[in-house]
Amino acid sequence: MSNEIEFENAIKKILEHIGEDVTREGLIDTPKRVRKAYEFMCSGYNQDPKEILEKALFTSTNDEMVVVKDIEFYSQCEHHMLPIIGKVHVAYIPNGKVVGLSKIPRVVDVFARRLQIQEQLTEQICDALNEHLKPKGVAVMIDARHMCMEMRGVEKICSTTVTSALRGLFKSNKKTKDEFLSIVAPSLHK
C-alpha cells in the first residue's frame, strides 16, 4: 500500500472516530484534500535553507542594518498540530555580502512548514541566516497566535507570543539591538 493511500485511510479513521460518515458527499474527497494540504504545509522538511540563500548572495559594501518586517507565516504546533499564525521580523548586518530580499521569507517558510514550537522556529531562522550569510549580526523576532491556546485548552482569544533570537552585534551591542527593536516594535501585536 502506498504512503498516500495509508495517509488517506488514516484520515478516514479519524473522521469515523469523531462520528462522521466518510461516505457523505462533502467528505468523499476529504482524505485526499487533507493529504495534499499536509504535503504542502509540511513541505519545509524537503527544503534546505543553504540552497535558497547561496543562490542569491551578492557582494556589497553596505554595512548597515537590513530589515525585512511583517513576513506573514503559518505553521503548526508540534503538540496539537494546530495552526500558529504570525509575523516574522528579520534584520541582519552585511559583512561583504547581501542576500536577495525574497530569500528571507523563503527561509522563514522552510522552517515554518514543519511541525514546530515558536521558540525553536525563531532560533532555526536566525541560525540559518547567521550560518549561510556570515553577517556581522542577525536578529529575528516572531509575534504569533497559537490556535492550541485559542481553540482549546485555556481559550485565550487573540493572545500573542513574542520570541526573539539574536546573534553577533545584535547580542553584543545594545545600540544595535535597540535600533532593531525600535524598527519592529510598531509592527508587534497588529
Side-chain angles (χ1 to χ4, degrees), residues 33-55:
R33 289 200 262 331
V34 171
R35 176 184 52 80
K36 287 182 175 185
Y38 269 84
E39 288 170 355
F40 175 78
M41 293 184 301
C42 296
S43 62
Y45 291 111
N46 302 319
Q47 297 176 316
D48 182 356
K50 178 181 180 180
E51 289 178 18
I52 292 167
L53 293 168
E54 289 186 351
K55 290 179 183 175

Side-chain angles (χ1 to χ4, degrees), residues 6-101:
E6 282 184 48
F7 188 104
E8 291 173 21
N9 286 337
I11 297 303
K12 286 179 186 175
K13 287 194 181 300
I14 291 169
L15 292 169
E16 289 169 347
H17 179 78
I18 63 171
E20 271 292 353
D21 173 6
V22 296
T23 63
R24 184 166 62 81
E25 180 184 22
L27 293 178
I28 291 172
D29 289 330
T30 295
K32 180 190 250 181
R33 289 200 262 331
V34 171
R35 176 184 52 80
K36 287 182 175 185
Y38 269 84
E39 288 170 355
F40 175 78
M41 293 184 301
C42 296
S43 62
Y45 291 111
N46 302 319
Q47 297 176 316
D48 182 356
K50 178 181 180 180
E51 289 178 18
I52 292 167
L53 293 168
E54 289 186 351
K55 290 179 183 175
L57 289 176
F58 306 101
T59 302
S60 176
T61 58
N62 180 10
D63 64 356
E64 297 294 327
M65 191 181 303
V66 176
V67 180
V68 181
K69 304 188 332 178
D70 299 324
I71 303 167
E72 291 181 348
F73 79 95
Y74 303 89
S75 191
Q76 294 181 77
C77 83
E78 64 186 38
H79 302 127
H80 303 97
M81 295 176 69
L82 289 171
I84 302 169
I85 303 164
K87 293 185 179 181
V88 179
H89 313 288
V90 175
Y92 75 98
I93 300 172
N95 189 15
K97 298 275 185 183
V98 294
V99 67
L101 295 177

Side-chain angles (χ1 to χ4, degrees), residues 22 26 54 58 86 99 131 136 146 159 174:
V22 296
E54 289 186 351
F58 306 101
V99 67
E131 179 181 344
K136 295 177 183 176
H146 294 250
S159 63
K174 182 179 179 343

Side-chain angles (χ1 to χ4, degrees), residues 93-152:
I93 300 172
N95 189 15
K97 298 275 185 183
V98 294
V99 67
L101 295 177
S102 70
K103 303 310 178 201
I104 293 173
R106 288 181 192 273
V107 168
V108 169
D109 284 344
V110 166
F111 296 110
R113 290 185 182 154
R114 300 176 182 187
L115 298 181
Q116 277 291 6
I117 60 172
Q118 182 174 330
E119 299 87 342
Q120 198 62 35
L121 175 61
T122 311
E123 293 283 325
Q124 290 170 336
I125 295 165
C126 193
D127 288 340
L129 294 171
N130 195 47
E131 179 181 344
H132 302 298
L133 300 183
K134 301 188 183 345
K136 295 177 183 176
V138 179
V140 175
M141 183 172 287
I142 298 179
D143 185 7
R145 294 173 56 198
H146 294 250
M147 295 305 109
C148 58
M149 283 182 54
E150 294 188 30
M151 294 173 64
R152 55 160 305 282

